Amino acid sequence: MHTLLYDTCTKGTTTWSGGRWSDGLPNGNCDVIINEKYSTLEHGSFTCYNLYIGATEFIITGNCFIKVLGETVEQDSKAVFTVENNGELILLNKDVDVTTVKATFNRLLTGLKRLDYWILSSPISGIPVINLSPLTLTNRFYKYNTLSSAYSAIDPTATIIEPGNGFLIRTPPNFPSVVSDWQISVNNFSQGIINTGIKSFTIKDKGFYIIGNPYPSKLSMLKFLIVNQGLIRDYVHIWHKTNNTDNPSYVVLTKITSDRSTWDVNLMPFQAFMINKIEEGEADIIFTPDMQVLQHDYTEPDKFYIDLLQRDLNIPVSSISYTIKQYPDDFLDMETESRVFALVDDEKLYYIRQDDKWHTKKEIPLLVIAVFTTEYSISLSKFEGLFKQQSIILLDRETGVKHDLKSGPYTVALEAKIEYRDRFILQFE
């Protein structure tokens, strides 16, 4: 929390020194000077116009932010500036690259094992791709080839990151074979600049491309898709799988929801994603500073997610999303034909489904197709809005069991390749 020693700054500049602000709490109309160690964990997030970091340590910790509205972020040569995992540096000037600041950006990827991959971008451009994961084998860095619809190996020591680049990278060879965290860290101490301002990424052919969040802050998928609508499909794919050929590789994100409960519709720093260009011909994908998520603690729509989990796998085999319409013309239902887990509505199958309004005592059948003969669990992994008060029951018509999914997952043994279309019913009471 903030150290409340003064009211909001009114004198144009406020300095952090001696454990206090010299002329009031920072705001968007005043400049900030940091002359003593400052950690947002201890002293709080803030917004300012320009920022100067003196010969001290400045740390943006997880779930905190520093928002700079003006043209300048500068630092003393002895300053140590770190943005920790889930911390955000939000730079809103549209024209200026912050070339003078030297900083370290950290990101922690969870739920991965040895031989797993992830698609990554970088908040710093002008550095070799190898800097994203120095311990990964150099033959395990890839770019996506649009013409061949496949990933192709690159030389990570010679390939320089540009704003908006995305790369598929494998965990280092010494990574644990059990579920662990992968620490990603980049800095621009010797080369590279922090990405700010309006960035464009040129693409030519019709098809799929891997691009990434270029900013050191969260990127709004809603704003990104609105700005680039008409050029690309209005959904994107995120790589999200364990090292298993039978597990789905991608999560689908639309403007306001995803088909996986573990994914927010806002993308964290370092997160790359796949877009689908609609037409032939050269065009620019645009990133703008106002795509950054500026509002925290925003209201979530009325929605819930159901996961299908296979025994001994740490990532769901499949997930579905159900949402009540909240925004006009900004939601895309996603039908499916061959997916192993789906909502059945009006004889169609969906893994992302929206209803215009909610009806109580409603039933929604589930389609389940097991990949292997083994034990599975059906889990209510996230629920928001009206579904916090709404009971969500899973009826197993074969056994007659009615299970409250809010009390925990429902576990059942299923046979491989059997289509369970009428067995499982979601009920709401």
Side-chain angles (χ1 to χ4, degrees):
M1 59 183 293
H2 286 301
T3 306
L4 298 174
L5 298 177
Y6 288 90
D7 293 329
T8 302
C9 169
T10 59
K11 296 184 178 181
T13 300
T14 188
T15 300
W16 178 258
S17 183
R20 55 189 286 171
W21 291 107
S22 64
D23 292 290
L25 293 172
N27 63 72
N29 295 314
C30 74
D31 297 337
V32 161
I33 300 173
I34 304 294
N35 275 345
E36 183 181 83
K37 181 178 178 180
Y38 190 97
S39 168
T40 56
L41 178 64
E42 183 177 358
H43 304 298
S45 303
F46 64 79
T47 298
C48 64
Y49 191 74
N50 294 313
L51 173 65
Y52 178 79
I53 307 166
T56 187
E57 189 174 6
F58 186 56
I59 308 168
I60 305 177
T61 53
N63 301 312
C64 294
F65 66 91
I66 300 298
K67 189 188 304 181
V68 181
L69 307 183
E71 300 177 355
T72 304
V73 180
E74 296 181 349
Q75 65 189 169
D76 186 275
S77 60
K78 295 182 180 179
V80 179
F81 183 13
T82 305
V83 182
E84 294 183 348
N85 180 55
N86 290 336
E88 296 179 80
L89 174 63
I90 304 173
L91 305 171
L92 289 176
N93 187 278
K94 293 186 176 181
D95 302 316
V96 179
D97 283 320
V98 183
T99 58
T100 57
V101 175
K102 306 297 183 183
T104 299
F105 295 90
N106 297 315
R107 182 83 173 101
L108 199 66
L109 305 177
T110 61
L112 296 172
K113 297 186 293 186
R114 185 175 180 271
L115 303 182
D116 281 352
Y117 287 84
W118 206 259
I119 52 175
L120 291 166
S121 59
S122 172
I124 295 175
S125 56
I127 58 176
V129 179
I130 191 70
N131 289 24
L132 286 169
S133 185
L135 298 181
T136 293
L137 298 174
T138 56
N139 63 340
R140 290 294 179 258
F141 290 78
Y142 302 87
K143 283 285 291 181
Y144 190 81
N145 189 313
T146 302
L147 295 179
S148 64
S149 299
Y151 288 95
S152 56
I154 61 169
D155 180 353
T157 63
T159 304
I160 302 300
I161 299 174
E162 298 177 0
N165 277 159
F167 305 91
L168 180 69
I169 304 174
R170 197 168 77 175
T171 54
N174 62 345
F175 201 78
S177 57
V178 296
V179 175
S180 305
D181 297 335
W182 187 11
Q183 177 71 58
I184 305 295
S185 181
V186 294
N187 65 67
N188 61 333
F189 295 161
S190 59
Q191 64 184 122
I193 60 172
I194 300 170
N195 296 323
T196 63
I198 298 175
K199 300 297 182 187
S200 62
F201 191 87
T202 302
I203 55 178
K204 297 180 179 181
D205 301 296
K206 180 180 178 181
F208 290 98
Y209 292 83
I210 294 291
I211 62 174
N213 179 5
Y215 299 120
S217 61
K218 286 184 180 179
L219 183 77
S220 166
M221 185 50 58
L222 172 62
K223 293 178 181 178
F224 172 82
L225 288 172
I226 288 174
V227 169
N228 293 286
Q229 65 185 354
L231 175 61
I232 61 174
R233 302 289 182 191
D234 47 359
Y235 57 88
V236 304
H237 293 85
I238 306 289
W239 180 279
H240 191 229
K241 68 171 296 178
T242 191
N243 188 30
N244 182 325
T245 56
D246 294 300
N247 223 18
S249 299
Y250 296 96
V251 173
V252 176
L253 268 66
T254 68
K255 292 177 181 176
I256 64 167
T257 194
S258 71
D259 70 337
R260 190 70 54 83
S261 61
T262 51
W263 275 96
D264 191 356
V265 292
N266 300 312
L267 299 184
M268 294 300 295
F270 290 95
Q271 182 60 63
F273 54 97
M274 178 178 281
I275 60 172
N276 187 355
K277 187 170 180 289
I278 299 172
E279 303 290 345
E280 297 286 358
E282 186 173 296
D284 287 337
I285 297 294
I286 304 296
F287 294 96
T288 65
D290 50 9
M291 288 180 187
Q292 296 171 95
V293 178
L294 308 182
Q295 254 186 316
H296 295 256
D297 301 323
Y298 54 88
T299 301
E300 291 281 356
D302 302 316
K303 65 182 177 183
F304 65 81
Y305 294 88
I306 305 287
D307 290 339
L308 178 66
L309 296 112
Q310 181 183 312
R311 187 178 63 183
D312 300 328
L313 288 182
N314 60 296
I315 293 178
V317 173
S318 187
S319 301
I320 51 183
S321 165
Y322 182 88
T323 306
I324 307 303
K325 188 170 185 178
Q326 184 167 326
Y327 307 102
D329 303 323
D330 65 2
F331 191 93
L332 184 68
D333 284 332
M334 302 294 289
E335 291 189 41
T336 181
E337 295 180 358
S338 59
R339 204 170 173 93
V340 299
F341 194 42
L343 294 165
V344 183
D345 200 352
D346 296 328
E347 301 301 319
K348 295 181 179 180
L349 304 178
Y350 298 89
Y351 58 96
I352 294 179
R353 181 65 169 137
Q354 177 185 232
D355 261 349
D356 288 336
K357 55 185 178 179
W358 176 245
H359 305 282
T360 57
K361 298 182 179 179
K362 183 169 184 170
E363 291 190 347
I364 305 177
L366 294 178
L367 168 73
V368 181
I369 303 175
V371 177
F372 300 102
T373 298
T374 187
E375 193 173 79
Y376 289 82
S377 61
I378 298 173
S379 173
L380 178 68
S381 51
K382 193 174 183 180
F383 50 93
E384 296 166 348
L386 69 84
F387 293 108
K388 289 182 178 179
Q389 290 76 45
Q390 182 75 55
S391 297
I392 303 178
I393 307 298
L394 180 70
L395 169 63
D396 185 339
R397 296 176 64 184
E398 184 172 302
T399 64
V401 172
K402 295 182 71 172
H403 179 80
D404 182 358
L405 288 174
K406 287 189 175 180
S407 69
Y410 179 70
T411 301
V412 60
L414 300 176
E415 294 184 34
K417 313 305 180 184
I418 300 296
E419 181 177 296
Y420 298 94
R421 182 182 286 264
D422 302 316
R423 177 172 175 177
F424 302 105
I425 308 290
L426 290 178
Q427 296 182 332
F428 307 89
E429 301 175 354

